[in-house]
Amino acid sequence: MHVTALLAEDHQLAAGIAQCPCVDGFAASVKIPLLRSARLLSLAVRDVVSSTFFRQEPIYVALASDGSPKSPSALMTRPEVMAGWQRITPDESIPFPDKFTARSILAFSLERPVRKIHRSTKPYLVVLPTYDNEAPLDAAEEAVRRTPLGEDLRVKGGHFDLYAGGIAFEENIKGQLAFLKRVLG
């Protein structure tokens, strides 16, 4: 969401690139199955109450899990998530927390930068996979249509296939480099 929001607000940026972005928190929220959504909402409310009234430490939710019954509550839980997540996280010597505060979920669904991207004055490349089980693909396509200088790069695979080790990685990087060369010279 950050690239889309920044391009809509900061007209000093030269350009923006987003890979299989989530550009509409509400659309992403309604994609989450009802039971998991209720569980995440419950954690979010508990986090707000416990931190506000009892000054307790934040409650954290994992970004990714394998979706098994024994795994922690997580934002992304489809079977392909863990393999993709492991490809994009740095090696163990670099601290990279796989978590966020549960209270963040409450604000997430209200974030809808796709509705403001029409204000952008700069080139915007959105790399879109064939399918996306994590971020709403139709919302990302809408962001491209709404952006005055928006364009898309279609690549094979799913959400995590754009990253190192994925089937679309090379095509993704070549497309981004060509875009940067064209718009930045």
mmCIF file with all atom_site columns, all heavy atoms in Angstrom, residues 84-98 164:
data_model
loop_
_atom_site.group_PDB
_atom_site.id
_atom_site.type_symbol
_atom_site.label_atom_id
_atom_site.label_alt_id
_atom_site.label_comp_id
_atom_site.label_asym_id
_atom_site.label_entity_id
_atom_site.label_seq_id
_atom_site.pdbx_PDB_ins_code
_atom_site.Cartn_x
_atom_site.Cartn_y
_atom_site.Cartn_z
_atom_site.occupancy
_atom_site.B_iso_or_equiv
_atom_site.pdbx_formal_charge
_atom_site.auth_seq_id
_atom_site.auth_comp_id
_atom_site.auth_asym_id
_atom_site.auth_atom_id
_atom_site.pdbx_PDB_model_num
ATOM 1   N N   . GLY A 1 84  ? 7.119  -19.284 -0.258 1.00 0.00 ? 84  GLY A N   1
ATOM 2   C CA  . GLY A 1 84  ? 7.362  -17.945 -0.800 1.00 0.00 ? 84  GLY A CA  1
ATOM 3   C C   . GLY A 1 84  ? 7.945  -17.014 0.238  1.00 0.00 ? 84  GLY A C   1
ATOM 4   O O   . GLY A 1 84  ? 8.874  -16.248 -0.039 1.00 0.00 ? 84  GLY A O   1
ATOM 5   N N   . TRP A 1 85  ? 7.417  -17.082 1.444  1.00 0.00 ? 85  TRP A N   1
ATOM 6   C CA  . TRP A 1 85  ? 7.900  -16.227 2.531  1.00 0.00 ? 85  TRP A CA  1
ATOM 7   C C   . TRP A 1 85  ? 9.370  -16.513 2.834  1.00 0.00 ? 85  TRP A C   1
ATOM 8   O O   . TRP A 1 85  ? 10.153 -15.603 3.056  1.00 0.00 ? 85  TRP A O   1
ATOM 9   C CB  . TRP A 1 85  ? 7.034  -16.435 3.769  1.00 0.00 ? 85  TRP A CB  1
ATOM 10  C CG  . TRP A 1 85  ? 7.356  -15.481 4.871  1.00 0.00 ? 85  TRP A CG  1
ATOM 11  C CD1 . TRP A 1 85  ? 8.017  -15.759 6.021  1.00 0.00 ? 85  TRP A CD1 1
ATOM 12  C CD2 . TRP A 1 85  ? 7.057  -14.091 4.910  1.00 0.00 ? 85  TRP A CD2 1
ATOM 13  N NE1 . TRP A 1 85  ? 8.148  -14.629 6.784  1.00 0.00 ? 85  TRP A NE1 1
ATOM 14  C CE2 . TRP A 1 85  ? 7.563  -13.584 6.117  1.00 0.00 ? 85  TRP A CE2 1
ATOM 15  C CE3 . TRP A 1 85  ? 6.420  -13.211 4.035  1.00 0.00 ? 85  TRP A CE3 1
ATOM 16  C CZ2 . TRP A 1 85  ? 7.442  -12.242 6.476  1.00 0.00 ? 85  TRP A CZ2 1
ATOM 17  C CZ3 . TRP A 1 85  ? 6.297  -11.883 4.403  1.00 0.00 ? 85  TRP A CZ3 1
ATOM 18  C CH2 . TRP A 1 85  ? 6.809  -11.421 5.609  1.00 0.00 ? 85  TRP A CH2 1
ATOM 19  N N   . GLN A 1 86  ? 9.738  -17.774 2.852  1.00 0.00 ? 86  GLN A N   1
ATOM 20  C CA  . GLN A 1 86  ? 11.131 -18.133 3.131  1.00 0.00 ? 86  GLN A CA  1
ATOM 21  C C   . GLN A 1 86  ? 12.070 -17.609 2.052  1.00 0.00 ? 86  GLN A C   1
ATOM 22  O O   . GLN A 1 86  ? 13.212 -17.255 2.332  1.00 0.00 ? 86  GLN A O   1
ATOM 23  C CB  . GLN A 1 86  ? 11.266 -19.647 3.291  1.00 0.00 ? 86  GLN A CB  1
ATOM 24  C CG  . GLN A 1 86  ? 10.639 -20.127 4.582  1.00 0.00 ? 86  GLN A CG  1
ATOM 25  C CD  . GLN A 1 86  ? 10.490 -21.632 4.654  1.00 0.00 ? 86  GLN A CD  1
ATOM 26  O OE1 . GLN A 1 86  ? 10.700 -22.346 3.688  1.00 0.00 ? 86  GLN A OE1 1
ATOM 27  N NE2 . GLN A 1 86  ? 10.107 -22.125 5.824  1.00 0.00 ? 86  GLN A NE2 1
ATOM 28  N N   . ARG A 1 87  ? 11.591 -17.524 0.812  1.00 0.00 ? 87  ARG A N   1
ATOM 29  C CA  . ARG A 1 87  ? 12.435 -16.990 -0.263 1.00 0.00 ? 87  ARG A CA  1
ATOM 30  C C   . ARG A 1 87  ? 12.681 -15.498 -0.124 1.00 0.00 ? 87  ARG A C   1
ATOM 31  O O   . ARG A 1 87  ? 13.704 -14.997 -0.568 1.00 0.00 ? 87  ARG A O   1
ATOM 32  C CB  . ARG A 1 87  ? 11.800 -17.267 -1.635 1.00 0.00 ? 87  ARG A CB  1
ATOM 33  C CG  . ARG A 1 87  ? 11.893 -18.707 -2.061 1.00 0.00 ? 87  ARG A CG  1
ATOM 34  C CD  . ARG A 1 87  ? 11.666 -18.886 -3.560 1.00 0.00 ? 87  ARG A CD  1
ATOM 35  N NE  . ARG A 1 87  ? 10.590 -18.121 -4.138 1.00 0.00 ? 87  ARG A NE  1
ATOM 36  C CZ  . ARG A 1 87  ? 9.344  -18.566 -4.323 1.00 0.00 ? 87  ARG A CZ  1
ATOM 37  N NH1 . ARG A 1 87  ? 9.011  -19.777 -3.948 1.00 0.00 ? 87  ARG A NH1 1
ATOM 38  N NH2 . ARG A 1 87  ? 8.434  -17.789 -4.883 1.00 0.00 ? 87  ARG A NH2 1
ATOM 39  N N   . ILE A 1 88  ? 11.744 -14.759 0.456  1.00 0.00 ? 88  ILE A N   1
ATOM 40  C CA  . ILE A 1 88  ? 11.917 -13.301 0.513  1.00 0.00 ? 88  ILE A CA  1
ATOM 41  C C   . ILE A 1 88  ? 12.492 -12.790 1.830  1.00 0.00 ? 88  ILE A C   1
ATOM 42  O O   . ILE A 1 88  ? 12.844 -11.625 1.923  1.00 0.00 ? 88  ILE A O   1
ATOM 43  C CB  . ILE A 1 88  ? 10.604 -12.551 0.207  1.00 0.00 ? 88  ILE A CB  1
ATOM 44  C CG1 . ILE A 1 88  ? 9.555  -12.775 1.286  1.00 0.00 ? 88  ILE A CG1 1
ATOM 45  C CG2 . ILE A 1 88  ? 10.091 -12.906 -1.166 1.00 0.00 ? 88  ILE A CG2 1
ATOM 46  C CD1 . ILE A 1 88  ? 8.343  -11.879 1.153  1.00 0.00 ? 88  ILE A CD1 1
ATOM 47  N N   . THR A 1 89  ? 12.580 -13.645 2.840  1.00 0.00 ? 89  THR A N   1
ATOM 48  C CA  . THR A 1 89  ? 13.141 -13.188 4.111  1.00 0.00 ? 89  THR A CA  1
ATOM 49  C C   . THR A 1 89  ? 14.655 -13.357 4.101  1.00 0.00 ? 89  THR A C   1
ATOM 50  O O   . THR A 1 89  ? 15.183 -14.306 3.527  1.00 0.00 ? 89  THR A O   1
ATOM 51  C CB  . THR A 1 89  ? 12.535 -13.949 5.305  1.00 0.00 ? 89  THR A CB  1
ATOM 52  O OG1 . THR A 1 89  ? 12.670 -15.347 5.101  1.00 0.00 ? 89  THR A OG1 1
ATOM 53  C CG2 . THR A 1 89  ? 11.071 -13.612 5.482  1.00 0.00 ? 89  THR A CG2 1
ATOM 54  N N   . PRO A 1 90  ? 15.345 -12.419 4.740  1.00 0.00 ? 90  PRO A N   1
ATOM 55  C CA  . PRO A 1 90  ? 16.808 -12.514 4.782  1.00 0.00 ? 90  PRO A CA  1
ATOM 56  C C   . PRO A 1 90  ? 17.267 -13.727 5.590  1.00 0.00 ? 90  PRO A C   1
ATOM 57  O O   . PRO A 1 90  ? 16.476 -14.341 6.295  1.00 0.00 ? 90  PRO A O   1
ATOM 58  C CB  . PRO A 1 90  ? 17.239 -11.225 5.472  1.00 0.00 ? 90  PRO A CB  1
ATOM 59  C CG  . PRO A 1 90  ? 16.014 -10.531 5.917  1.00 0.00 ? 90  PRO A CG  1
ATOM 60  C CD  . PRO A 1 90  ? 14.827 -11.266 5.430  1.00 0.00 ? 90  PRO A CD  1
ATOM 61  N N   . ASP A 1 91  ? 18.559 -14.037 5.471  1.00 0.00 ? 91  ASP A N   1
ATOM 62  C CA  . ASP A 1 91  ? 19.058 -15.183 6.240  1.00 0.00 ? 91  ASP A CA  1
ATOM 63  C C   . ASP A 1 91  ? 18.954 -14.895 7.737  1.00 0.00 ? 91  ASP A C   1
ATOM 64  O O   . ASP A 1 91  ? 18.693 -13.773 8.152  1.00 0.00 ? 91  ASP A O   1
ATOM 65  C CB  . ASP A 1 91  ? 20.483 -15.550 5.825  1.00 0.00 ? 91  ASP A CB  1
ATOM 66  C CG  . ASP A 1 91  ? 21.502 -14.488 6.179  1.00 0.00 ? 91  ASP A CG  1
ATOM 67  O OD1 . ASP A 1 91  ? 21.456 -13.933 7.294  1.00 0.00 ? 91  ASP A OD1 1
ATOM 68  O OD2 . ASP A 1 91  ? 22.373 -14.208 5.335  1.00 0.00 ? 91  ASP A OD2 1
ATOM 69  N N   . GLU A 1 92  ? 19.129 -15.907 8.524  1.00 0.00 ? 92  GLU A N   1
ATOM 70  C CA  . GLU A 1 92  ? 18.888 -15.814 9.967  1.00 0.00 ? 92  GLU A CA  1
ATOM 71  C C   . GLU A 1 92  ? 19.793 -14.818 10.687 1.00 0.00 ? 92  GLU A C   1
ATOM 72  O O   . GLU A 1 92  ? 19.484 -14.402 11.795 1.00 0.00 ? 92  GLU A O   1
ATOM 73  C CB  . GLU A 1 92  ? 19.018 -17.200 10.595 1.00 0.00 ? 92  GLU A CB  1
ATOM 74  C CG  . GLU A 1 92  ? 17.938 -18.142 10.110 1.00 0.00 ? 92  GLU A CG  1
ATOM 75  C CD  . GLU A 1 92  ? 18.147 -19.553 10.602 1.00 0.00 ? 92  GLU A CD  1
ATOM 76  O OE1 . GLU A 1 92  ? 19.010 -19.790 11.467 1.00 0.00 ? 92  GLU A OE1 1
ATOM 77  O OE2 . GLU A 1 92  ? 17.426 -20.437 10.105 1.00 0.00 ? 92  GLU A OE2 1
ATOM 78  N N   . SER A 1 93  ? 20.905 -14.413 10.085 1.00 0.00 ? 93  SER A N   1
ATOM 79  C CA  . SER A 1 93  ? 21.802 -13.479 10.762 1.00 0.00 ? 93  SER A CA  1
ATOM 80  C C   . SER A 1 93  ? 21.259 -12.049 10.748 1.00 0.00 ? 93  SER A C   1
ATOM 81  O O   . SER A 1 93  ? 21.732 -11.194 11.472 1.00 0.00 ? 93  SER A O   1
ATOM 82  C CB  . SER A 1 93  ? 23.185 -13.509 10.106 1.00 0.00 ? 93  SER A CB  1
ATOM 83  O OG  . SER A 1 93  ? 23.107 -13.022 8.771  1.00 0.00 ? 93  SER A OG  1
ATOM 84  N N   . ILE A 1 94  ? 20.241 -11.795 9.923  1.00 0.00 ? 94  ILE A N   1
ATOM 85  C CA  . ILE A 1 94  ? 19.639 -10.466 9.846  1.00 0.00 ? 94  ILE A CA  1
ATOM 86  C C   . ILE A 1 94  ? 18.280 -10.519 10.539 1.00 0.00 ? 94  ILE A C   1
ATOM 87  O O   . ILE A 1 94  ? 17.394 -11.272 10.136 1.00 0.00 ? 94  ILE A O   1
ATOM 88  C CB  . ILE A 1 94  ? 19.465 -10.034 8.373  1.00 0.00 ? 94  ILE A CB  1
ATOM 89  C CG1 . ILE A 1 94  ? 20.815 -10.018 7.666  1.00 0.00 ? 94  ILE A CG1 1
ATOM 90  C CG2 . ILE A 1 94  ? 18.778 -8.671  8.294  1.00 0.00 ? 94  ILE A CG2 1
ATOM 91  C CD1 . ILE A 1 94  ? 20.703 -9.856  6.170  1.00 0.00 ? 94  ILE A CD1 1
ATOM 92  N N   . PRO A 1 95  ? 18.089 -9.706  11.586 1.00 0.00 ? 95  PRO A N   1
ATOM 93  C CA  . PRO A 1 95  ? 16.797 -9.721  12.282 1.00 0.00 ? 95  PRO A CA  1
ATOM 94  C C   . PRO A 1 95  ? 15.670 -9.267  11.347 1.00 0.00 ? 95  PRO A C   1
ATOM 95  O O   . PRO A 1 95  ? 15.757 -8.212  10.725 1.00 0.00 ? 95  PRO A O   1
ATOM 96  C CB  . PRO A 1 95  ? 16.980 -8.723  13.427 1.00 0.00 ? 95  PRO A CB  1
ATOM 97  C CG  . PRO A 1 95  ? 18.425 -8.413  13.485 1.00 0.00 ? 95  PRO A CG  1
ATOM 98  C CD  . PRO A 1 95  ? 19.024 -8.770  12.172 1.00 0.00 ? 95  PRO A CD  1
ATOM 99  N N   . PHE A 1 96  ? 14.653 -10.066 11.235 1.00 0.00 ? 96  PHE A N   1
ATOM 100 C CA  . PHE A 1 96  ? 13.509 -9.744  10.385 1.00 0.00 ? 96  PHE A CA  1
ATOM 101 C C   . PHE A 1 96  ? 12.281 -10.360 11.025 1.00 0.00 ? 96  PHE A C   1
ATOM 102 O O   . PHE A 1 96  ? 11.988 -11.532 10.831 1.00 0.00 ? 96  PHE A O   1
ATOM 103 C CB  . PHE A 1 96  ? 13.723 -10.308 8.972  1.00 0.00 ? 96  PHE A CB  1
ATOM 104 C CG  . PHE A 1 96  ? 12.674 -9.873  7.995  1.00 0.00 ? 96  PHE A CG  1
ATOM 105 C CD1 . PHE A 1 96  ? 12.735 -8.622  7.408  1.00 0.00 ? 96  PHE A CD1 1
ATOM 106 C CD2 . PHE A 1 96  ? 11.635 -10.717 7.650  1.00 0.00 ? 96  PHE A CD2 1
ATOM 107 C CE1 . PHE A 1 96  ? 11.780 -8.215  6.495  1.00 0.00 ? 96  PHE A CE1 1
ATOM 108 C CE2 . PHE A 1 96  ? 10.668 -10.316 6.743  1.00 0.00 ? 96  PHE A CE2 1
ATOM 109 C CZ  . PHE A 1 96  ? 10.741 -9.062  6.165  1.00 0.00 ? 96  PHE A CZ  1
ATOM 110 N N   . PRO A 1 97  ? 11.571 -9.577  11.830 1.00 0.00 ? 97  PRO A N   1
ATOM 111 C CA  . PRO A 1 97  ? 10.429 -10.148 12.548 1.00 0.00 ? 97  PRO A CA  1
ATOM 112 C C   . PRO A 1 97  ? 9.274  -10.485 11.611 1.00 0.00 ? 97  PRO A C   1
ATOM 113 O O   . PRO A 1 97  ? 8.897  -9.689  10.762 1.00 0.00 ? 97  PRO A O   1
ATOM 114 C CB  . PRO A 1 97  ? 10.030 -9.041  13.522 1.00 0.00 ? 97  PRO A CB  1
ATOM 115 C CG  . PRO A 1 97  ? 10.574 -7.784  12.938 1.00 0.00 ? 97  PRO A CG  1
ATOM 116 C CD  . PRO A 1 97  ? 11.776 -8.171  12.125 1.00 0.00 ? 97  PRO A CD  1
ATOM 117 N N   . ASP A 1 98  ? 8.746  -11.654 11.769 1.00 0.00 ? 98  ASP A N   1
ATOM 118 C CA  . ASP A 1 98  ? 7.589  -12.115 11.001 1.00 0.00 ? 98  ASP A CA  1
ATOM 119 C C   . ASP A 1 98  ? 6.344  -11.845 11.843 1.00 0.00 ? 98  ASP A C   1
ATOM 120 O O   . ASP A 1 98  ? 5.624  -12.746 12.227 1.00 0.00 ? 98  ASP A O   1
ATOM 121 C CB  . ASP A 1 98  ? 7.739  -13.619 10.702 1.00 0.00 ? 98  ASP A CB  1
ATOM 122 C CG  . ASP A 1 98  ? 6.469  -14.217 10.095 1.00 0.00 ? 98  ASP A CG  1
ATOM 123 O OD1 . ASP A 1 98  ? 5.665  -13.463 9.538  1.00 0.00 ? 98  ASP A OD1 1
ATOM 124 O OD2 . ASP A 1 98  ? 6.280  -15.437 10.209 1.00 0.00 ? 98  ASP A OD2 1
ATOM 125 N N   . ALA A 1 164 ? 12.885 -13.707 -5.761 1.00 0.00 ? 164 ALA A N   1
ATOM 126 C CA  . ALA A 1 164 ? 14.010 -14.613 -6.017 1.00 0.00 ? 164 ALA A CA  1
ATOM 127 C C   . ALA A 1 164 ? 13.580 -16.066 -5.816 1.00 0.00 ? 164 ALA A C   1
ATOM 128 O O   . ALA A 1 164 ? 12.956 -16.406 -4.814 1.00 0.00 ? 164 ALA A O   1
ATOM 129 C CB  . ALA A 1 164 ? 15.186 -14.276 -5.096 1.00 0.00 ? 164 ALA A CB  1
#
